[in-house]
Amino acid sequence: MAAAESPSAALRRRDLCSRGIRLAGKMRADVVDLLDAYVEQQGLDASASVAAMEGVPLAAVERWDEQTGTQRLLENLAAYRAFRTLLAQMLEEQREQLGEADAGLGRALAAVLLQVSAFAYHLEELLRLESRGIPGEEGDGPPPPPRLSLFEQKLRGLGVLRELAQWAVRSVRDLRQLGKPSSAAGTAPGLAESP
Amino acid sequence: MSPIKRIFYQDGFYSPNYGAVSVATDKNYIYPGFGGLYIFNDASKEVRRKRAYGKELTSFFEDDVYSCLKLLFLNSRRMWKNSSLRCLLALAILCLRSLMYSQEIVSPGDPQNLKCVTHNLHKMLCTWDVSSRRKHGQTDFCYTTNDLTPQVCFKTKERRAEIPVPESSITVTIGSSGTAFPTKEFVIHQKDIAFVPVTPRILSLMPDFPTSTLNLKWSDNGSIFPYGLDALWEIQILRKEAMEVVTQVTYYSKLTHKDIILFWNWTSDMPLECTSHYVKIRCYINATQFVGPKDWSDWSPAEMIPGKDAEPGGSGVFPLDPVVAVGSDLTFCCVHEEDQHITNMTYGSKSYTMIQLSRRSHAIRVLNASISNTSGTNVVCRLENGYEGSVVFVGYAPDIPQNLSCETPNFLIIKCTWKPGRPSGLYGERRTKYSLFERTSGKNVSCEVNEVNRDHVCGFPVLPDQKTYDFILGVSNPIGQAQSSLLVDITKRVHPKMPEKLTVTGDNSTSIQLRWFINGSFAETRLLCQIEISSSHSERKLHNVSIPGRKSSTYTAQLNALHPDTKYQLRVRCSAADHFWRWSDWSRGVEQTTSEAPPARGPDIWRERSPSGESLIVFWKPLSLSESNGKIVSHEVSCYLLETLLEHKVVFEPSNSTEIKLGKSDCMISVVARNHAGSSPPSKITSVELPSDNITTDQAVAMGNGINISWDSYPNMTCGYIVKWCHSSGSEPCSVDWQKFPSNTTNAVIKSDLFKPGVRYNFSLYGCKSMGYQLLKNVTGYMKELPPKTAPNFIVEETSSDSILVKWEDIPIEECRGFLKGYLLSFAKGEKDALKSRLSESGNPELKVNNITDLTKKSMKILDLQGKTSYQLELQAYTAGGLSPPNSLYVVTKEDSVGLIIAILIPVAVVVLLGVLASTFCYRKREWIKETFYPEIPNPENSKALQFQRNICEGNKTLKTLEMNPCTPNSVEVVETQSTAPKIEDTEIMSPAAETAVPEDGSDSEMENHVVVSYCPPIIEEEISNSPMDEPGGSSQVVYIDIQSMYQPQIKPEEEPETGLVTTAGYKPQMQLPISALKIEGHSPVEEELDKTAGYRPQANTNTWNMGTPDSPGSVESNNENASFGSPCSINSRQFLLPPKEDEDSSKPINTGWSFTHFFQNKLND
């Protein structure tokens, strides 16, 4: 398929990848800033280790280098869609708990949420370019998680932001991989394998 | 018999040894009652019962008597000491009763130990013991309360029976059916019956975990008791697995002969989740009519509220996300799995010491909690493999709202505002919530308040037909609540909204119409609206309008008496007219310019004849804005002679004068100002100028902010006075200005913003008669006098040996800057020198000053001066404002020649006369003189002893012993003295070594004496090291040192430290020394030798000193040395060969210090 890829499509893909890399880089920087503000505002220990939480996609993956381009895009898309939901939930909780107080953190959260949404849309564009169908979002999504205590909410927020920062790095690498001219060949088996 | 081991006391145990004694001492007494040993307390009357119900009466009493006796024996010493009679009496009674009962039940095998206890005061349960032989079979049980009632009998297999509680006593007969055992009869009095209420039963125990509260519910069983009994309930709270008593409280209630459910709650200081809690209850009924002993019921079974540590898998930090008040003491616990280990527990950032509650629960105690931040304070329990946590919000209960105020902007809604007071520190869902409750209508409104913006406003709808509102503002948050109330009549609290849509209509020059809109239902009230009118040339004015209110309507108002051609800024605000409360905000402003109207009056005019008298110049002043009523476009000037128009001119703006060719004739001048709306009324003035004589000119200076001009009263000046003056600014022609005064005025203060200090103004006072204007006087004035700008120019007209004639010129008027008062002529001896300061400031003691106040005097002769002396003259003019800058001159008086001649001739004559006299005397006495002063001396040549003299003065054929002719020696050596004789020639200087030295500049090479002055080389290694190579073996050399570098050490000695020694030694002309002899460092042996042998070398030729020496730094100090002949030559000395040019000038004053040297030098050069 990649061999059949037209020069304009390849150009378009490279362009999308490079823009995606810039978006992910900006997002990473903003998430890191937000993480600092979040830790300080929530009175958490920055060094606290947070166990993996249900619903938070993990950036770590085995055999990353063996992934096809489509796999990368699909995993990224799924992750950012999940982050979009998680961040929206965090924002809602933030509003509930703080009201109008500390609006700065709320604004920063909203800004990152917007970037995550934009990045997800960007990934969808890349998937379209790959002539792949975009997986539909689950209608009602997963069942709402059980009501967490405030401390658990804080820890989950910390975990979400940390994992999002990790994902931003992974996305940059994924998109670099995807944007390489040679990667077109690399993606071919993946595209062929994928349903 | 067994001794009494212990006496039960409610709060513990008493040893029998001490208990009895202490009981007696503490005014307790023991009473042996039915069912046990009772201990009574006088003070409280509280009954305490020894728990001995299970014992048989006999044995009990036997035991007790024994015990009493033993006690008595054991404690006899103390008892006697305390002499408690009551104790003895009690013991006596106890023993007697014991004996009595023992007599009754003396027979073995009979029923014994009949005990009766009532739980409800109606029935009592009696139990008894029988011997083992009678344990089987039925028992006949009979009782009777008194003789009148029949005996009640029944059979029972049990050894207990329930019978009524007697009012006084009951006789019980117990026998065995169908046996030979005897029947036993007991008489039971009420006082022998124990009253122990039924053990209460806890109906429910409900925990409220968020508030850590236990809610207890139980029944008082009041239906079984008579009405009105007091009941005491003792409730015990226990905690942990070990059931440690946390608290015990007594609850009081009154029995109402009904079963009442009682409630009680208790708030734990520790979260209920932390560990299990237990509750027990018992009761005591104070049946005062019942004379028997009364006791607490047994404790109910403990009800348990299990903690999370009792739950399998239960874990977490508790309380979970609480909201507490600032200053609270808090307990947090961490419940975890049994196999987990807690690392630490923190509150905020601080770690606390943990208290173990159970194997699965640990707690920390936080005292005096401070306010938390917006996201709460984290309580974290760090486990080995994770975290448990809770977030606590510490804040304040809401403050009472202050300054609650309600008003309506439109009779549709009531807006209430208040100040919230201290912030609660709680946000989001824990924020302070407000509600507005109106008591009259019962309507409640929840208020949305922005906590952060502190904008506390709540709206309440205006209800139909209700004017008075009784508001209660309720405030609550999770910590507490408060409220504030306000009774308000909204018709008196109307604060309309800002008027909108303000528009202006109308093109009249003096009136306009305003329209605006106010949203609101003001149909039942009047509105008072205020219109603010402001313009650029008038003060702000407020115009009030009262208007009947309408429902959301447009209101209009007419504004009259406005000024034409004026731009007005208008805005409106309104309030309720009937009960003023507050103005609305101002509406946005609108602007409107009224149309023009003809000028209100004619211009102020004046006229002047031209210098030639052929024409008349007519002047007018511009009308003020309030008079012009529009923009003046032109002025029409007409000249009438007896209603005949001679001339008519239209002069357009901005000109304010015109010239009319009138010749020598006169006319009536009329001036009209015109704008777009029309013409002003004419202003008229006659051109006739009446003749005047004896016109005086006065001087006037401003006093304050104007120039005061006064004049005598002129009765014939019927139409007033005019003061006319002229403003001149630079090169522009003078602009005429004037001011009119009524005829009764005799002075005027002329003010003008154009007046400047130091400028002369000429005022003319005219009187107005019906025929024309007459000049009365002239006045010259200054707004402020300043010192003259320049000094008068002066010259020296004539100079003699003792006088100078000085002449000066007038200062131009414009440079006087005030009325000239005089001149100051100062003089003193002094030579022309640019550096010298002004004479007047020099402080010269010989300064003489002449003050010339006669302004007509233009010259002055200064006398009594010294001849051939330089004088400095200064001339200054002065006004009341001060002195002008001085003008200076230097004059040298002529020499007094006659005196000089006399001074020369007289000494010459005296000398000649003395010479003649001496010659005459010598001539006459020549023989005597010869004999006396010149006796005949033999010729030494004739003596052989003096033959050596020939060798000495060889060639001198006429040698004589006492010949005074000088003889030049071959060599002169001066040792340790400085020779001042310039004629001594130094042979050292003439030595061949010295002759070989050739100065590079060659200036001295052609000198007759062939004296070479050597300059010691600078102590710079490079130069020194090169020199011996270039000029080995004592060759002489003049080393030129760069002038700049030579000066540097003088200026910045630190920059060339190695030359510091040299420079401090100064620069001196030196004899040429062998270079090899000059070493840089210290004194080399050669140098030392030189110093010793030839260290002092006279300088042969002072010509070679040249002009460099004065120029050298430090030359002043070195003058004397240099002026001395034969001065030692320091090898460290240096010499500038080319002194800096600038120093030549500056050294001139110093030359005076070198006068001798110069003189000598000049002489030599000559």
Side-chain angles (χ1 to χ4, degrees):
Chain A
M1 285 181 71
E5 194 178 43
S6 65
S8 63
L11 200 65
R12 168 88 175 135
R13 190 181 58 169
R14 275 203 298 278
D15 179 51
L16 281 174
C17 284
S18 61
R19 278 169 52 200
I21 288 166
R22 284 199 298 274
L23 276 177
K26 172 73 167 64
M27 184 165 60
R28 157 85 183 176
D30 288 356
V31 171
V32 168
D33 290 346
L34 175 60
L35 200 55
D36 291 342
Y38 185 83
V39 164
E40 187 185 347
Q41 196 268 345
Q42 300 287 3
L44 294 170
D45 182 2
S47 62
S49 61
V50 181
M53 280 168 291
E54 189 183 351
V56 181
L58 292 176
V61 65
E62 288 183 1
R63 296 174 183 273
W64 173 81
D65 52 343
E66 293 177 9
Q67 282 190 328
T68 64
T70 308
Q71 271 178 324
R72 292 178 198 282
L73 288 174
L74 288 172
E75 282 191 13
N76 270 270
L77 182 61
Y80 284 101
R81 281 177 174 174
F83 279 121
R84 192 169 57 193
T85 308
L86 289 166
L87 287 172
Q89 193 179 344
M90 279 176 69
L91 195 59
E92 182 58 29
E93 287 167 357
Q94 190 78 10
R95 283 178 185 148
E96 268 179 25
Q97 299 302 324
L98 299 182
E100 295 92 6
D102 213 339
L105 188 68
R107 279 196 294 273
L109 257 176
V112 168
L113 173 59
L114 199 64
Q115 290 183 62
V116 166
S117 301
F119 195 72
Y121 178 76
H122 198 81
L123 292 170
E124 287 174 9
E125 283 288 297
L126 271 167
L127 272 171
R128 277 193 204 97
L129 199 69
E130 299 285 349
S131 306
R132 293 293 307 173
I134 297 165
E137 290 189 61
E138 295 172 18
D140 297 332
R147 179 78 178 172
L148 299 175
S149 71
L150 289 178
F151 186 72
E152 286 167 334
Q153 284 179 18
K154 288 183 175 185
L155 282 187
R156 191 193 57 187
L158 182 63
V160 166
L161 294 178
R162 278 184 181 167
E163 208 56 43
L164 178 58
Q166 295 292 334
W167 262 104
V169 177
R170 179 178 160 180
S171 299
V172 169
R173 291 178 180 168
D174 280 334
L175 290 176
R176 280 209 185 107
Q177 198 75 12
L178 210 62
K180 285 179 184 172
S182 58
S183 72
T187 56
L191 290 172
E193 287 164 12
S194 51
Chain B
M1 288 199 297
S2 60
I4 296 174
K5 296 294 180 190
R6 282 170 182 165
I7 296 173
F8 278 77
Y9 218 88
Q10 186 180 0
D11 296 329
F13 302 103
Y14 275 78
S15 158
N17 289 349
Y18 299 101
V21 175
S22 64
V23 164
T25 308
D26 295 341
K27 297 186 182 179
N28 296 330
Y29 57 93
I30 305 165
Y31 179 76
F34 194 88
L37 182 66
Y38 294 88
I39 302 166
F40 293 83
N41 182 291
D42 277 353
S44 65
K45 302 295 182 189
E46 191 177 326
V47 178
R48 306 175 195 280
R49 178 170 61 94
K50 181 180 183 297
R51 293 173 181 246
Y53 299 124
K55 281 190 171 181
E56 290 181 2
L57 280 174
T58 309
S59 62
F60 169 75
F61 285 119
E62 285 171 355
D63 287 352
D64 286 357
V65 169
Y66 174 81
S67 300
C68 283
L69 291 172
K70 191 178 177 184
L71 279 170
L72 192 62
F73 174 74
L74 291 173
N75 298 289
S76 56
R77 288 174 64 189
R78 288 179 70 179
M79 283 178 64
W80 288 118
K81 274 186 181 175
N82 294 315
S83 65
S84 178
L85 189 60
R86 276 189 296 184
C87 181
L88 286 173
L89 284 172
L91 282 170
I93 292 166
L94 176 67
C95 293
L96 285 172
R97 288 186 66 86
S98 186
L99 286 170
M100 182 183 73
Y101 280 103
S102 66
Q103 285 175 355
E104 288 177 358
I105 52 174
V106 71
S107 177
D110 287 347
Q112 315 175 32
N113 296 341
L114 179 65
K115 302 179 293 187
C116 293
V117 176
T118 180
H119 295 304
N120 54 16
L121 299 175
H122 295 294
K123 298 278 184 182
M124 62 181 181
L125 185 66
C126 294
T127 58
W128 63 90
D129 292 338
V130 292
S131 64
S132 57
R133 288 176 296 171
R134 295 179 62 176
K135 278 189 178 174
H136 301 289
Q138 286 193 329
T139 301
D140 292 328
F141 190 92
C142 298
Y143 67 89
T144 179
T145 52
N146 52 46
D147 296 338
L148 298 175
T149 55
Q151 190 178 38
V152 178
C153 291
F154 53 86
K155 293 181 185 297
T156 177
K157 288 183 179 177
E158 297 177 342
R159 285 179 296 280
R160 64 177 187 176
E162 193 176 62
I163 58 174
V165 174
E167 291 184 359
S168 59
S169 64
I170 190 168
T171 305
V172 172
T173 307
I174 302 171
S176 297
S177 299
T179 62
F181 288 108
T183 301
K184 180 69 178 177
E185 184 178 289
F186 298 92
V187 178
I188 303 168
H189 299 276
Q190 196 185 50
K191 64 178 181 294
D192 299 327
I193 302 164
F195 174 41
V196 179
V198 179
T199 302
R201 189 169 63 88
I202 294 173
L203 294 180
S204 73
L205 177 66
M206 298 298 292
D208 183 32
F209 288 106
T211 58
S212 302
T213 303
L214 290 174
N215 295 303
L216 180 66
K217 192 161 73 175
W218 73 98
S219 170
D220 68 349
N221 292 323
S223 59
I224 61 172
F225 294 106
Y227 181 86
L229 292 182
D230 292 330
L232 298 173
W233 307 89
E234 213 164 53
I235 304 163
Q236 207 170 47
I237 311 290
L238 305 99
R239 187 182 280 163
K240 300 185 189 175
E241 291 168 352
M243 294 186 70
E244 294 170 3
V245 176
V246 179
T247 187
Q248 183 166 304
V249 293
T250 303
Y251 181 87
Y252 168 81
S253 75
K254 210 165 197 66
L255 302 181
T256 58
H257 199 51
K258 288 178 188 172
D259 287 344
I260 302 292
I261 306 297
L262 299 175
F263 299 92
W264 178 78
N265 59 48
W266 174 75
T267 301
S268 172
D269 62 342
M270 179 178 288
L272 299 177
E273 297 96 333
C274 291
T275 189
S276 298
H277 286 73
Y278 306 87
V279 178
K280 292 195 294 187
I281 187 170
R282 66 177 182 172
C283 75
Y284 174 84
I285 295 172
N286 191 15
T288 52
Q289 300 298 320
F290 186 75
V291 295
K294 297 176 277 288
D295 198 3
W296 285 93
S297 74
D298 286 335
W299 287 105
S300 70
E303 285 284 327
M304 183 180 79
I305 300 297
K308 290 283 180 186
D309 58 342
E311 259 182 42
S315 64
V317 172
F318 302 100
L320 191 61
D321 307 336
V323 184
V324 295
V326 171
S328 303
D329 296 337
L330 306 169
T331 303
F332 296 94
C333 66
C334 178
V335 179
H336 51 90
E337 293 298 333
E338 199 167 343
D339 55 347
Q340 283 185 322
H341 174 70
I342 299 182
T343 308
N344 70 341
M345 283 184 76
T346 55
Y347 174 83
S349 57
K350 189 179 174 188
S351 186
Y352 281 77
T353 307
M354 292 183 288
I355 308 156
Q356 184 168 12
L357 301 177
S358 70
R359 283 169 300 175
R360 291 184 52 200
S361 180
H362 289 76
I364 58 169
R365 186 96 176 128
V366 177
L367 301 176
N368 194 17
S370 56
I371 193 163
S372 55
N373 60 17
T374 54
S375 63
T377 305
N378 298 333
V379 184
V380 183
C381 173
R382 287 181 176 78
L383 299 164
E384 285 171 328
N385 56 348
Y387 296 90
E388 295 289 352
S390 175
V391 182
V392 58
F393 294 89
V394 187
Y396 292 100
D399 225 346
I400 296 171
Q402 293 154 11
N403 302 344
L404 176 62
S405 170
C406 296
E407 61 189 22
T408 179
N410 49 16
F411 283 103
L412 299 173
I413 195 164
I414 301 168
K415 284 172 71 177
C416 293
T417 57
W418 64 91
K419 288 185 177 174
R422 179 181 57 192
S424 68
L426 303 173
Y427 304 94
E429 60 188 14
R430 289 163 293 278
R431 72 186 184 279
T432 302
K433 298 181 174 96
Y434 297 89
S435 65
L436 204 56
F437 175 68
E438 204 283 308
R439 269 196 275 211
T440 310
S441 62
K443 193 174 174 63
N444 196 9
V445 170
S446 176
C447 306
E448 286 300 321
V449 170
N450 189 327
E451 185 84 20
V452 175
N453 293 340
R454 319 284 298 157
D455 183 21
H456 291 79
V457 181
C458 193
F460 191 90
V462 172
L463 302 172
D465 303 325
Q466 186 173 344
K467 289 183 178 178
T468 305
Y469 292 78
D470 189 1
F471 287 118
I472 295 176
L473 178 67
V475 198
S476 66
N477 69 11
I479 297 172
Q481 55 192 13
Q483 66 177 37
S484 183
S485 60
L486 178 72
L487 185 68
V488 63
D489 180 355
I490 59 159
T491 60
K492 297 177 180 174
R493 294 286 184 275
V494 182
H495 184 193
K497 286 186 176 176
M498 182 181 80
E500 305 166 41
K501 303 172 188 170
L502 180 66
T503 55
V504 191
T505 54
D507 56 354
N508 195 311
S509 63
T510 56
S511 68
I512 52 176
Q513 193 176 47
L514 277 175
R515 294 167 69 86
W516 65 91
F517 174 81
I518 299 178
N519 186 18
S521 180
F522 298 100
E524 295 178 8
T525 186
R526 286 184 69 82
L527 288 175
L528 175 67
C529 291
Q530 199 169 54
I531 302 165
E532 186 192 69
I533 310 157
S534 53
S535 66
S536 57
H537 57 271
S538 67
E539 288 184 355
R540 188 182 76 116
K541 289 178 185 170
L542 295 172
H543 182 68
N544 289 340
V545 187
S546 180
I547 314 166
R550 290 189 292 272
K551 188 173 181 180
S552 296
S553 178
T554 300
Y555 301 88
T556 59
Q558 179 87 18
L559 290 177
N560 297 316
L562 300 178
H563 198 270
D565 190 39
T566 304
K567 183 187 274 186
Y568 287 100
Q569 289 86 37
L570 304 146
R571 55 181 187 164
V572 182
R573 64 179 179 178
C574 294
S575 71
D578 301 329
H579 303 284
F580 177 82
W581 168 237
R582 277 176 188 163
W583 288 109
S584 71
D585 289 337
W586 285 105
S587 69
R588 64 172 184 82
V590 292
E591 285 186 348
Q592 175 73 7
T593 305
T594 51
S595 55
E596 290 188 7
R601 69 172 183 88
D604 192 3
I605 56 176
W606 182 245
R607 85 287 175 279
E608 261 191 1
R609 283 272 177 190
S610 64
S612 63
E614 291 296 319
S615 61
L616 192 72
I617 303 169
V618 181
F619 303 95
W620 56 88
K621 289 183 183 176
L623 291 171
S624 66
L625 285 171
S626 60
E627 294 165 340
S628 62
N629 288 347
K631 183 174 168 38
I632 301 295
V633 291
S634 63
H635 288 83
E636 293 179 4
V637 183
S638 307
C639 187
Y640 293 92
L641 181 62
L642 299 175
E643 297 183 359
T644 304
L645 181 63
L646 295 181
E647 189 161 354
H648 178 80
K649 278 181 125 176
V650 177
V651 183
F652 292 95
E653 284 286 280
S655 179
N656 61 350
S657 65
T658 187
E659 189 172 355
I660 298 171
K661 300 286 182 189
L662 205 59
K664 297 293 182 185
S665 60
D666 284 307
C667 68
M668 180 62 75
I669 298 156
S670 167
V671 180
V672 168
R674 176 176 283 278
N675 63 15
H676 292 294
S679 301
S680 70
S683 296
K684 293 184 176 178
I685 191 169
T686 178
S687 67
V688 176
E689 189 139 343
L690 302 173
S692 53
D693 49 338
N694 296 329
I695 301 301
T696 59
T697 300
D698 294 347
Q699 290 184 346
V701 177
M703 304 291 286
N705 53 357
I707 297 171
N708 190 20
I709 294 170
S710 59
W711 59 88
D712 299 330
S713 178
Y714 298 89
N716 50 355
M717 300 302 163
T718 54
C719 49
Y721 301 93
I722 286 113
V723 176
K724 183 219 82 175
W725 67 95
C726 194
H727 290 294
S728 177
S729 57
S731 58
E732 292 179 7
C734 174
S735 67
V736 174
D737 200 355
W738 65 94
Q739 203 167 337
K740 293 182 177 176
F741 300 95
S743 53
N744 58 353
T745 313
T746 56
N747 64 52
V749 177
I750 308 299
K751 297 176 184 175
S752 173
D753 293 336
L754 301 174
F755 287 156
K756 294 173 186 172
V759 177
R760 175 174 291 191
Y761 296 98
N762 296 315
F763 300 88
S764 299
L765 176 69
Y766 290 89
C768 175
K769 291 181 179 176
S770 58
M771 296 297 293
Y773 292 90
Q774 184 179 20
L775 178 63
L776 301 177
K777 67 188 280 191
N778 289 320
V779 178
T780 306
Y782 284 93
M783 194 64 197
K784 184 185 176 186
E785 286 190 271
L786 299 177
K789 197 173 181 180
T790 57
N793 289 325
F794 75 114
I795 54 169
V796 176
E797 185 78 8
E798 186 182 308
T799 307
S800 68
S801 61
D802 63 345
S803 69
I804 300 169
L805 178 63
V806 176
K807 281 191 173 182
W808 59 89
E809 300 169 354
D810 282 334
I811 303 174
I813 291 295
E814 59 272 14
E815 293 185 352
C816 278
R817 305 200 297 180
F819 297 115
L820 207 59
K821 298 284 184 191
Y823 302 94
L824 287 183
L825 179 62
S826 314
F827 64 95
K829 285 181 184 175
E831 292 187 355
K832 188 173 186 178
D833 192 338
L835 294 175
K836 285 192 177 177
S837 60
R838 290 177 177 177
L839 188 59
S840 51
E841 297 170 359
S842 64
N844 191 335
E846 296 179 8
L847 176 70
K848 291 180 181 174
V849 180
N850 290 323
N851 184 7
I852 303 141
T853 54
D854 182 5
L855 296 176
T856 58
K857 196 173 177 181
K858 298 296 174 195
S859 65
M860 184 178 180
K861 190 164 193 173
I862 305 168
L863 301 172
D864 299 331
L865 303 179
Q866 292 180 7
K868 204 177 183 182
T869 305
S870 174
Y871 282 93
Q872 183 182 359
L873 307 178
E874 268 187 12
L875 185 62
Q876 289 173 285
Y878 63 92
T879 66
L883 284 167
S884 71
N887 223 345
S888 291
L889 273 179
Y890 290 89
V891 183
V892 181
T893 51
K894 290 182 178 173
E895 198 171 4
D896 189 356
S897 54
V898 176
L900 183 64
I901 291 166
I902 291 169
I904 293 169
L905 288 179
I906 290 173
V908 168
V910 169
V911 168
V912 169
L913 185 62
L914 286 176
V916 169
L917 288 175
S919 301
T920 308
F921 177 77
C922 291
Y923 180 74
R924 286 186 178 175
K925 298 289 183 180
R926 59 184 178 277
E927 290 301 322
W928 176 78
I929 290 169
K930 186 177 178 183
E931 285 298 319
T932 304
F933 296 104
Y934 296 99
E936 195 72 31
I937 299 170
N939 189 354
E941 288 183 351
N942 298 332
S943 175
K944 289 187 178 180
L946 296 173
Q947 284 299 313
F948 69 94
Q949 297 258 343
R950 187 174 300 166
N951 294 330
I952 296 170
C953 299
E954 196 172 8
N956 192 343
K957 295 176 180 176
T958 57
L959 274 179
K960 294 175 180 174
T961 305
L962 296 177
E963 191 172 10
M964 297 301 288
N965 290 336
C967 177
T968 303
N970 286 339
S971 138
V972 176
E973 186 170 354
V974 180
V975 180
E976 295 185 355
T977 56
Q978 288 186 345
S979 172
T980 55
K983 292 182 179 177
I984 297 172
E985 291 181 11
D986 191 350
T987 53
E988 285 285 344
I989 294 173
M990 302 301 291
S991 67
E995 284 176 358
T996 56
V998 179
E1000 286 187 17
D1001 61 357
S1003 57
D1004 296 325
S1005 59
E1006 295 176 8
M1007 292 169 65
E1008 291 178 4
N1009 295 334
H1010 301 282
V1011 175
V1012 177
V1013 177
S1014 172
Y1015 289 86
C1016 297
I1019 306 177
I1020 297 170
E1021 285 191 5
E1022 291 80 3
E1023 296 176 10
I1024 296 299
S1025 59
N1026 290 337
S1027 298
M1029 294 171 68
D1030 297 340
E1031 299 283 343
S1035 63
S1036 60
Q1037 183 183 16
V1038 176
V1039 179
Y1040 291 88
I1041 301 166
D1042 177 67
I1043 293 167
Q1044 293 300 324
S1045 64
M1046 288 305 292
Y1047 265 102
Q1048 289 292 354
Q1050 294 280 329
I1051 299 161
K1052 294 179 180 177
E1054 67 276 9
E1055 291 182 9
E1056 289 187 23
E1058 68 274 17
T1059 58
L1061 180 62
V1062 177
T1063 53
T1064 51
Y1067 295 86
K1068 299 175 183 176
Q1070 299 297 328
M1071 287 180 62
Q1072 179 64 34
L1073 295 175
I1075 291 300
S1076 59
L1078 302 177
K1079 295 296 181 186
I1080 311 156
E1081 297 169 1
H1083 296 268
S1084 66
V1086 178
E1087 182 185 347
E1088 285 176 4
E1089 187 127 352
L1090 267 171
D1091 286 343
K1092 287 174 186 173
T1093 57
Y1096 291 92
R1097 300 185 179 181
Q1099 300 193 353
N1101 192 345
T1102 53
N1103 285 341
T1104 59
W1105 291 16
N1106 216 332
M1107 290 299 289
T1109 42
D1111 301 328
S1112 60
S1115 57
V1116 174
E1117 289 80 6
S1118 60
N1119 274 342
N1120 294 334
E1121 292 177 38
N1122 290 335
S1124 302
F1125 296 111
S1127 65
C1129 168
S1130 167
I1131 59 165
N1132 290 332
S1133 299
R1134 295 181 176 180
Q1135 172 67 29
F1136 280 119
L1137 293 180
L1138 297 172
K1141 280 286 181 190
E1142 60 270 21
D1143 284 353
E1144 287 182 5
D1145 294 333
S1146 61
S1147 66
K1148 281 178 182 174
I1150 301 168
N1151 279 350
T1152 54
W1154 281 78
S1155 56
F1156 173 74
T1157 313
H1158 269 239
F1159 170 77
F1160 188 75
Q1161 202 170 15
N1162 293 336
K1163 289 287 181 189
L1164 287 176
N1165 289 335
D1166 290 340

